[in-house]
Amino acid sequence: MSGRDAVPGPGTETPAGPAGAFPPSTTAVGGYLEPIRAGGTLLWRRGGSGIEVVLIRRPVRDDWTLPKGKLKNGEHPIIGAVREVQEETGLTPVLGRRLPPQHYLKDGWPKQVEWWAATPAESAEAVEYQANEEVDRVEWVPVGEARGRLTYGHDVEVLDNFLAGPAETSPVILLRHLSAGEKRTWDDSDLLRPLDASGRADALALPRVVGAYGRPEVVSSAAARCTESMLPYTVEADVQMRTERAFTVREGSPSYDVEGAREAFARILDAGRPAVVCSHGELIPDLMEEALTRLGAPLTQQLGLRKGSFWVLHVAGGELAGVERHAVRG
């Protein structure tokens, strides 16, 4: 059996049941169970017959599914999703828009899987993958055929969620600079205040997280704590960094220009290219409000960010296709 008609056997994945029942089919008597956390991507490309997606076959379960896997303890969901897809397919995913997470039971315990649409960094026509005991087949499958071949209903829902929105999107990442030393203990110009030890550690971790979205260009506040936040990424990704005065919080009064910052951010959004903007806590809410308003989306009550956190706006054709928020440390 395949698709939504599949009936999982003992010890396999069980989709959620009807809403409103207690205990819910995704938990246990007594209420909440901390879910098993996993991540994966729906890898897609345009083939001769239209959109194709990657499916994997697991010989032990004799099923067809989408590439995903459990996160390691403390692992960032973005890094975990990329790692698991690389391990199961041999392909490196470049993340697109985030898809709704899936919730179902795995051996009686709730499981939560974070999903992204993604394209392969490689352009090879065929998948070169060494079969093993966990995954013995990796195939590009036309999207219509994939629906019938998938074993689990929740995988079909991931496919449907992908098809419900635009396939091609462009990420605009808005980062609040990483942790810096306290202003009150810094005797020099605030523009020169550097990252502290925690911020420097996060700066070294940032390339793997931002790099999961490809090689976005960098536009940063000219303050040292912002340019230092982005420096390791620019070196590893081999991209240039441009500083923008409008994104910079300066000394004096006024210390920043909200309207100038919003106009500069609007130009980046209108350009339609992947980008990372690094700025300050004072400006982040205004920049997010500009983006959401410009893209015709509702405003969230929590526009701001903590240091070392970032928004990802997925833009397609001048409209918002998705928003996600992360901390660099996960």
Side-chain angles (χ1 to χ4, degrees):
M1 291 182 287
S2 62
R4 296 184 185 274
D5 297 326
V7 179
T12 59
E13 301 164 356
T14 307
F22 188 86
S25 60
T26 53
T27 184
V29 175
Y32 182 79
L33 291 176
E34 183 68 25
I36 302 166
R37 300 189 184 276
T41 73
L42 187 141
L43 275 169
W44 71 276
R45 71 179 183 185
R46 296 194 186 277
S49 58
I51 290 180
E52 300 173 338
V53 298
V54 165
L55 303 186
I56 63 172
R57 181 182 178 275
R58 300 182 295 188
V60 173
R61 296 177 174 86
D62 190 23
D63 61 6
W64 284 93
T65 186
L66 300 172
K68 64 181 182 299
K70 291 189 293 293
L71 304 180
K72 298 178 180 178
N73 287 336
E75 187 175 34
H76 200 294
I78 289 173
I79 293 173
V82 170
R83 175 186 55 76
E84 283 290 341
V85 172
Q86 287 174 321
E87 291 176 358
E88 293 194 337
T89 69
L91 298 170
T92 300
V94 176
L95 301 186
R97 65 186 174 93
R98 195 168 185 176
L99 303 175
Q102 293 292 305
H103 303 85
Y104 50 88
L105 292 180
K106 170 66 175 175
D107 296 330
W109 198 275
K111 185 173 184 178
Q112 177 176 318
V113 187
E114 309 296 340
W115 288 101
W116 285 264
T119 52
E122 304 84 356
S123 59
E125 288 297 318
V127 179
E128 297 182 2
Y129 178 74
Q130 186 65 44
N132 56 60
E133 60 183 11
E134 293 187 7
V135 177
D136 64 352
R137 292 173 65 181
V138 179
E139 296 185 13
W140 284 105
V141 181
V143 68
E145 180 184 337
R147 182 186 300 276
R149 197 187 297 189
L150 285 166
T151 302
Y152 305 109
H154 52 75
D155 281 341
V156 178
E157 289 177 5
V158 174
L159 184 62
D160 288 343
N161 289 332
F162 167 70
L163 294 173
E168 297 182 32
T169 59
S170 182
V172 176
I173 301 170
L174 180 57
L175 170 73
R176 182 177 176 185
H177 67 76
L178 308 176
S179 179
E182 291 293 334
K183 183 177 181 179
R184 67 176 183 272
T185 63
W186 180 250
D187 296 330
D188 210 331
S189 167
D190 194 49
L191 284 174
L192 300 178
R193 180 158 52 94
L195 298 181
D196 58 22
S198 177
R200 291 193 296 273
D202 282 351
L204 294 175
L206 187 64
R208 290 186 67 193
V209 180
V210 171
Y213 296 94
R215 295 177 65 245
E217 62 185 33
V218 177
V219 185
S220 174
S221 156
R225 54 195 182 277
C226 290
T227 57
E228 288 181 13
S229 295
M230 297 309 308
L231 182 60
Y233 165 73
T234 62
V235 172
E236 289 198 26
D238 193 20
V239 298
Q240 292 185 338
M241 179 176 3
R242 174 171 65 86
T243 59
E244 171 59 68
R245 189 173 190 273
F247 295 149
T248 307
V249 171
R250 306 175 298 278
E251 294 175 309
S253 181
S255 59
Y256 54 91
D257 176 8
V258 171
E259 290 308 312
R262 292 178 72 128
E263 290 173 5
F265 198 47
R267 290 193 295 270
I268 292 171
L269 292 167
D270 291 345
R273 297 190 300 271
V276 184
V277 171
C278 184
S279 190
H280 306 260
E282 294 92 331
L283 285 170
I284 295 294
D286 291 292
L287 298 180
M288 273 299 292
E289 182 176 347
E290 174 66 28
L292 295 175
T293 302
R294 193 174 193 82
L295 298 172
L299 296 180
T300 174
Q301 294 180 343
Q302 296 180 324
L303 293 169
L305 291 170
R306 301 182 65 178
K307 292 178 183 178
S309 297
F310 59 93
W311 290 105
V312 185
L313 299 142
H314 298 279
V315 183
E319 296 184 351
L320 189 66
V323 181
E324 52 185 306
R325 180 171 60 182
H326 300 278
V328 172
R329 296 195 182 192

